[in-house]
Amino acid sequence: KARLEAGLSAAVGMEVRVAGGLKVGFFPRLRVTLDDVHVRQQAADVLSAKEATVAIALTSILTGEMRIESIVLTSPVIAVERDLDGRFNVEGRRQGADTLPTVSWPKVSVTDGSIVYLDKRFGKGFEASDCQLELRHLQLSGGPRAELAKGISFTAQAARKQVRKDSVTLSDVEFSADMKDGVIDLDPVT
């Protein structure tokens, strides 16, 4: 379990801990199902999930570098914060680093999840519950930390049972999203 935690930590660039059990399956591809998973950055949970199933490329095991093909998260709580300096808690915190690495994330699916976002600069945020999300082609092109949003690209399909911001609550929200060069294209929001 410790080797898997280390490999996953290296793959996502944050500390990954598995507090529960572990199951391994081999058909139709190598997959590992982990119970009670916590992804931490700066000693705080960025993500916790009841269950995470990770599909791993068999060839990557032979080379010693774990290559994750997909991640399915069941009942996760995702907590994203932007601090007073404008940095996100999901960014790496290397000493003196003003540039971000190039990252290519796998396909990520979320079932029955919650997302909490807080921007401490403005004291604003939102909460979304009962989320279903399919995220593909997530890329971070690297470069200056100040241009983080410009370097992110992805394609997503999302459905949220409920989104709350301040005293406003929206129900049954669905949308598709594409992000490239710092611009998110939502199509359509219903």
Side-chain angles (χ1 to χ4, degrees):
K1 191 157 93 170
R3 280 185 69 189
L4 181 63
E5 288 174 334
L8 290 171
S9 294
V12 300
M14 292 180 250
E15 177 189 356
V16 176
R17 292 290 168 245
V18 180
L22 176 140
K23 295 174 255 174
V24 178
F26 296 97
F27 186 77
R29 65 175 49 93
L30 176 61
R31 68 190 177 289
V32 178
T33 301
L34 311 164
D35 295 324
D36 195 10
V37 178
H38 298 266
V39 179
R40 298 175 63 84
Q41 182 74 287
Q42 298 293 311
D45 277 357
V46 171
L47 178 139
S48 60
K50 177 181 176 183
E51 182 179 273
T53 301
V54 181
I56 302 166
L58 281 173
T59 55
S60 71
I61 301 226
L62 300 173
T63 63
E65 286 188 32
M66 187 181 305
R67 188 170 56 83
I68 298 170
E69 293 180 336
S70 66
I71 299 172
V72 178
L73 302 171
T74 305
S75 300
V77 175
I78 302 167
V80 178
E81 288 186 8
R82 192 170 200 180
D83 68 17
L84 296 172
D85 295 326
R87 293 182 187 211
F88 290 95
N89 63 336
V90 294
E91 295 180 42
R93 300 285 192 198
R94 293 172 292 149
Q95 286 286 51
D98 286 329
T99 60
L100 297 167
T102 299
V103 176
S104 178
W105 282 55
K107 174 184 150 195
V108 178
S109 300
V110 171
T111 302
D112 219 14
S114 296
I115 300 171
V116 178
Y117 173 75
L118 174 63
D119 189 329
K120 290 184 176 178
R121 297 173 310 158
F122 306 108
K124 302 278 184 187
F126 69 86
E127 293 180 38
S129 59
D130 296 324
C131 299
Q132 315 304 317
L133 175 68
E134 183 81 19
L135 188 64
R136 295 179 178 269
H137 313 296
L138 178 59
Q139 304 279 327
L140 173 60
S141 63
R145 182 178 304 279
E147 297 177 8
L148 172 65
K150 289 182 182 179
I152 296 175
S153 64
F154 63 80
T155 300
Q157 298 285 328
R160 291 171 171 81
K161 197 67 159 175
Q162 188 175 75
V163 178
R164 285 190 321 264
K165 183 179 181 329
D166 302 326
S167 63
V168 176
T169 300
L170 302 174
S171 297
D172 299 320
V173 177
E174 295 184 26
F175 64 89
S176 298
D178 288 301
M179 181 169 182
K180 186 174 182 182
D181 298 324
V183 177
I184 297 178
D185 181 26
L186 296 175
D187 181 48
V189 175
T190 60

